[in-house]
Amino acid sequence: MSVQATPAQVRQYLMGLQSRVTAAIAEIDGGIFLSDAWEKAPHEPLQGSGITQILEGGAVFERAGCGFSHVRGPKLPPSATQHRPELAGAPFEAMGVSLVFHPRNPYVPTVHMNVRMLAAKNPQGQEVCWFGGGMDLTPYYGFEEDAVHFHQTCRDALTPFGDDKYPRFKKWCDEYFFLKHRNEPRGVGGVFFDDFSELGQDRSFAMLQAVGEAFLTAYLPIVRRRKDTRYTERERAFQLYRRGRYVEFNLVWDRGTHFGLQSGGRTESILLSMPPLVSWAYQQVPAAGSPEAALTERFLTARDWV
């Protein structure tokens, strides 16, 4: 796959990806996504537009948000220049699709996926372009076959771009989606990459497309397998408790959230990843030998799944 990675081509691909993903999720849920097109006002620090699509109160998904944004700003925020200090304060353009789906059934895992492109002008006036993204799975009750399938799909999507990509991006995902304040992974991982341009602009864009196209293949079979599993208030309570970890990561550590808020992005769209219901408990420790304890002991640990 070789497609010119012009902003217009990237925008066209990302908007199509958003439409395909939300159509597939609406079909399995039976609900309807609300489509909220927005545009930043001229006086705001960030200019641009986007489409936020959200499904709330569905039969399968309690909250499913999938947003496309295309924005421009006069100054890259600190979260975007950690590894590119020469671009600090440079004008920039950013576009991407980001989604988080929170299922109703505790046996269906939460999922996150993001694919994006950033472009900025270096001090010499040349445009520098890079890509980022990935996907990761956050179960509440772990199943080996689900984690293996998710990781196999990620590996297969990246293999055409080099045998090093999956193990490298898998490790990057394990290290990035980690709650340092709790010394705990957010989930069973997946793949993650950022500041990526080493394959050249066109080939790097092709890799981003491969990740985007793999998402439904990675996630939907797991949803179908688990969505009708019977559960009780015990499983539901544990799901809400574990969702608290998701909120903690997104607000404390996530660079995407920080980028959006620091650059003056649209708060409602930035926080579409938040679950509708969540709970916290003081020093809650699952009983030894319980399915809840198994999540931490067997799944919330860096493992080679494939």
Side-chain angles (χ1 to χ4, degrees), residues 66-114:
C66 182
F68 164 78
S69 64
H70 183 185
V71 296
R72 298 173 183 84
K75 183 178 178 181
L76 271 170
S79 58
T81 56
Q82 291 178 6
H83 306 295
R84 294 174 181 266
E86 74 280 5
L87 295 177
F92 71 95
E93 178 178 8
M95 66 181 82
V97 166
S98 181
L99 65 84
V100 176
F101 298 156
H102 291 290
R104 186 175 297 279
N105 192 311
Y107 288 99
V108 182
T110 285
V111 73
H112 158 259
M113 192 269 287
N114 176 277

Side-chain angles (χ1 to χ4, degrees), residues 76-197:
L76 271 170
S79 58
T81 56
Q82 291 178 6
H83 306 295
R84 294 174 181 266
E86 74 280 5
L87 295 177
F92 71 95
E93 178 178 8
M95 66 181 82
V97 166
S98 181
L99 65 84
V100 176
F101 298 156
H102 291 290
R104 186 175 297 279
N105 192 311
Y107 288 99
V108 182
T110 285
V111 73
H112 158 259
M113 192 269 287
N114 176 277
V115 284
R116 59 189 179 274
M117 182 192 84
L118 271 79
K121 293 286 182 69
N122 66 19
Q124 290 74 43
Q126 300 167 318
E127 186 173 79
V128 180
C129 175
W130 66 97
F131 300 87
M135 66 180 95
D136 66 286
L137 196 69
T138 304
Y140 306 99
Y141 289 89
F143 295 91
E144 298 264 347
E145 63 180 318
D146 293 353
V148 169
H149 167 77
F150 193 84
H151 277 269
Q152 282 180 335
T153 305
C154 291
R155 180 199 60 190
D156 293 347
L158 290 167
T159 295
F161 303 92
D163 291 339
D164 66 308
K165 298 301 182 297
Y166 168 73
R168 180 173 147 203
F169 296 166
K170 189 265 186 192
K171 183 175 184 289
W172 200 341
C173 186
D174 288 340
E175 293 174 350
Y176 179 78
F177 292 104
F178 191 85
L179 287 81
K180 299 183 179 106
H181 62 291
R182 293 191 181 274
N183 193 33
E184 178 184 289
R186 186 169 81 173
V188 297
V191 291
F192 177 79
F193 61 96
D194 203 1
D195 298 313
F196 188 89
S197 58

Side-chain angles (χ1 to χ4, degrees), residues 120-300:
K121 293 286 182 69
N122 66 19
Q124 290 74 43
Q126 300 167 318
E127 186 173 79
V128 180
C129 175
W130 66 97
F131 300 87
M135 66 180 95
D136 66 286
L137 196 69
T138 304
Y140 306 99
Y141 289 89
F143 295 91
E144 298 264 347
E145 63 180 318
D146 293 353
V148 169
H149 167 77
F150 193 84
H151 277 269
Q152 282 180 335
T153 305
C154 291
R155 180 199 60 190
D156 293 347
L158 290 167
T159 295
F161 303 92
D163 291 339
D164 66 308
K165 298 301 182 297
Y166 168 73
R168 180 173 147 203
F169 296 166
K170 189 265 186 192
K171 183 175 184 289
W172 200 341
C173 186
D174 288 340
E175 293 174 350
Y176 179 78
F177 292 104
F178 191 85
L179 287 81
K180 299 183 179 106
H181 62 291
R182 293 191 181 274
N183 193 33
E184 178 184 289
R186 186 169 81 173
V188 297
V191 291
F192 177 79
F193 61 96
D194 203 1
D195 298 313
F196 188 89
S197 58
E198 65 192 58
L199 297 179
Q201 191 162 318
D202 294 348
R203 191 70 173 154
S204 296
F205 177 42
M207 190 186 79
L208 175 136
Q209 289 175 284
V211 172
E213 294 306 307
F215 170 73
L216 291 174
T217 303
Y219 187 54
L220 286 190
I222 298 172
V223 176
R224 293 190 181 101
R225 190 181 298 140
R226 308 294 171 199
K227 68 183 179 68
D228 297 320
T229 304
R230 295 187 64 179
Y231 64 91
T232 68
E233 283 303 312
R234 167 179 164 167
E235 289 97 332
R236 175 64 168 167
F238 187 67
Q239 177 195 43
L240 299 187
Y241 168 68
R242 290 301 311 178
R243 278 180 178 176
R245 299 292 204 267
Y246 210 90
V247 171
E248 289 177 20
F249 178 85
N250 282 14
L251 294 182
V252 176
W253 300 108
D254 186 62
R255 282 180 65 190
T257 301
H258 295 169
F259 175 88
L261 296 176
Q262 290 171 0
S263 61
R266 187 172 184 261
T267 302
E268 195 71 14
S269 297
I270 295 165
L271 298 180
L272 63 77
S273 63
M274 294 296 109
L277 295 172
V278 63
S279 68
W280 278 267
Y282 185 73
Q283 293 186 339
Q284 179 172 304
V285 179
S290 68
E292 292 78 13
L295 178 71
T296 302
E297 295 166 1
R298 294 172 46 203
F299 292 90
L300 299 186

